[in-house]
Amino acid sequence: MDPKQLAKDTFEKVVGRLAEKAAELAEPPVPGAPGVEPPQLEEPTEPRAPLPPKPDQGAPELRTATGTEVDAKPDARAQHETYLTTSTGARLRDTDHSLKAGERGPTLLQDHHLREKITHFDHERIPERVVHARGAGAHGVFVGYGNADSVCKATFLREGVETPTFVRFSTVLGSRGSADTVRDTRGFATKFYTSEGNFDLVGNNIPVFFIQDGIKFPDVIHAGKPHPDREIPQAQSAHDTFWDFVSLHTEAQHHTMWNMSDRGIPRSYRTMEGFGVHTFRVENDAGDTSLVKFHWKPRLGVHSLTWEEAQLLGGIDPDFHRRDLYDAIESGAYPAYELGLQVFPDNPEQVFGDIDLLDPTKIVPEELAPVQPVGLMVLTANPTNFFAETEQVAFHVGHLVPGIDATDDPLVQARLFSYVDTQLSRLGGPNFNQLPVNRPHTEVNDMFRDGFHQHAVHAGVAPYKPNSLDGGCPFHAGADLEGSFEHLPAKVAAGTKVRAQPASFDDHFSQVRQFWLSMSPVEQEHIIRAYTFELGKCYEQVIKERQLQCLANIDARLCSEVATGLGLPAPQPSIELVDLDPSPALSQVGEAWPPDGRMVGIVVDPDGDLSALSAVRSATFGAGMVPLLIGPHGGEVGGFPVQRTFATARSVEFDAVLLAGAPVPAPDALPARDAKAGAASSAAIDPRVVLLLEEAFRHCKVIGAWGDGVAALEAAGITEAPGVVRGGSGPDVLTGVQEQMAFHRVWERFPQS
Ligand code: HEM
């Protein structure tokens, strides 16, 4: 079957089932799901703010990752019952007043409820993750296509097998409360609750890593985190220690180049690729092994913010990515990602051509080894409780299932140690795999006993094997070993114990140059600006000069333009530059993508002509996009709910802006800016709308206007330009807008931001 059709059918199957489930539950239909009519127009559309408390949705196989007895038991504390209890179940009459000796007297030590309540509160926080502290999670389902069988016997990849998943997206450097849209790598960690135990694919949105050996992980993280004396800057790489590290450890240059590209500021978690980074070894039913790299490909394409958008969002909506993921799922615009494999023959050297597959600072270009789709994941439900799920989820690269094994990549080897070690202190003891979000959906019989937060009541007297007291010796004759996990037999290169790495790890620049040469002109421009900004924030001259030397070893123009921006001379390369073939797959520009789940802001004027509004909203829903009405005030306009007001809306939130009217400022509003020559007076249009349009235009978004909306466009100084669709009926304008949105931005209008 045509691979694109297979992905479409699988997506429609999963989403269609959710629509049926929604209908069964007599909930509002899921906008965007195939076959689902646009919602009742008088109903508020998503996202609402603030969202109401979540009702029990009664769909455990899709809603929760666990399906365990803990979830099944009603918990009075979570059910908003009519009475409260202590933690041991005694009913409380009053939780608002402490027990005192008289109304104005001192509080009594006897007040157990006061002490219990405050003590529990005092201990609510756990340590944040040492890296990737800021994150957002979602539940999903993965469906295998079956074509991976020829290389990998893992059951979750078999045709039609459905496996629940939990995904946590994250930034790396910032603390738990930091902003989402900073320039950084994004984590993309997936837990598959397979029938053979949990498989965790703990990846990033960048396919290479800063270091080649995990022993340097504390060093690179110390360099990226805030300076230890002042604890600034937060969630930034634009500071001396980061650039000191990456310019001294030139193996980091490849990852750094990806960070400086648009990949460092994704539009959304929904429009981000994911990479397992390391090479894994897989085995098929016949026992043949191959080497593979895992890729996640978002169904909506790979899209980024502009730098200015990212900065604005840091102030306007620091939760932008978290909110975007949550709202998209709530509104039925389910994020979907295809899992793909690059497959390489297993060979003793573990190389593919000239590329060392054990070096995590190298990619294998897709043009040399295509990414073959093997299944689709659809994120179908938000967590019910952030702490219980997103915060307590514990991923581990060692959570492998039969048919998949790690390789000798020295980075993954250190990771195999690090994750459980950090989780022991983060989650307060050794029993965190009993937490609902971490618990496998298979039976567990691990003979691990006791320890902090032990929830299981283990029966028996012989937690050791073999034994002759607890009825069985499963590892002896007759035991069912079918389907057990085994490390795949791979030859280990024998040698002397050394602290050293192979010579093949020494090339730190050729693939960085390849990335640079694969970018479109506008992407190259963004990269130059990013380096210039970041190095411009460094104080130490020697660090800037050393990084310029690295840039000279990547590309002369890149180096000279950044050097000009810094006011420094551009050095000559210290190595011979190698021109690898560019890899067009690395560029984000040029391909058309479906519009599903895109946010369309519609500016309305309560006093204007609203006749096309209903049809435009329906058509937007019908195309799988989310229309958000932007009005001068809250409440309703033309019978439709206003989701954003001129005070709360900024163009950065929208993928396209439509103008259904030309709202004038309120009579008592501050005077607007001067009218522009040759255009309608901007003073005639609410200045907040003018700002919205100016920004949308500057950020190269598609803009559409009809009726009076055209006058508003002109008031913002926007006339004929690529990506501006004006005139005709509202639905016609939407059709034109939708076609151009397929490319995410109007690239011809760059560079302007
Ligand atoms: C290819 C390189 C790497 C990738 C793709 C990667 C990815 C990730 C991701 C996605 C997370 C967040 C997991 C979550 O959402 O809970 C994470 C956390 C973490 N990583 Fe890595 N990482 C890499 C390298 C390393 C290395 C080399 C080490 C240490 C030797 C390391 C140690 C950690 C630790 C300690 C955490 C926090 C885990 C927790 O508290 O649960 N990582 N990593």
Side-chain angles (χ1 to χ4, degrees), residues 129 131-132 168 203-204 209 217 395 415 419 423 426:
R129 286 168 178 79
V131 282
H132 295 264
R168 185 172 178 275
N204 282 341
F209 204 65
F217 191 71
F395 295 96
R415 295 180 75 192
Y419 287 74
Q423 285 149 4
R426 182 166 73 81

Side-chain angles (χ1 to χ4, degrees), residues 403-476:
I404 305 179
D405 202 356
T407 53
D408 294 335
D409 171 344
L411 191 68
V412 81
Q413 291 292 321
R415 295 180 75 192
L416 285 165
F417 166 75
S418 181
Y419 287 74
V420 97
D421 180 48
T422 196
Q423 285 149 4
L424 280 170
S425 66
R426 182 166 73 81
L427 297 166
N431 289 312
F432 52 83
N433 279 328
Q434 294 181 10
L435 292 167
V437 72
N438 293 326
R439 214 179 296 176
H441 289 200
T442 46
E443 273 186 33
V444 174
N445 181 18
D446 56 12
M447 289 188 302
F448 300 163
R449 291 293 182 270
D450 308 344
F452 285 116
H453 316 303
Q454 175 60 259
H455 286 271
V457 183
H458 293 112
V461 295
Y464 54 85
K465 294 285 185 296
N467 73 68
S468 54
L469 298 173
D470 269 353
C473 305
F475 296 155
H476 283 196

Side-chain angles (χ1 to χ4, degrees), residues 10 193 219 247 274 349 479 704:
T10 309
Y193 303 90
D219 307 327
S247 59
E349 297 76 30

Side-chain angles (χ1 to χ4, degrees), residues 481-548:
L481 297 180
E482 193 58 36
S484 14
F485 175 79
E486 277 181 277
H487 289 286
L488 302 178
K491 275 228 161 99
V492 179
T496 318
K497 283 184 199 169
V498 281
R499 291 190 187 274
Q501 62 186 21
S504 56
F505 280 34
D506 288 349
D507 167 17
H508 298 168
F509 290 103
S510 65
Q511 284 205 349
V512 199
R513 177 165 172 75
Q514 181 182 39
F515 182 87
W516 164 257
L517 294 176
S518 305
M519 295 293 104
S520 62
V522 65
E523 290 169 303
Q524 288 189 341
E525 182 61 32
H526 290 175
I527 291 172
I528 291 167
R529 290 178 188 204
Y531 277 110
T532 311
F533 172 85
E534 296 252 330
L535 291 167
K537 296 280 237 174
C538 293
Y539 293 96
E540 298 293 338
Q541 190 80 348
V542 63
I543 293 173
K544 298 183 204 185
E545 286 169 0
R546 203 188 305 123
Q547 179 57 34
L548 282 176

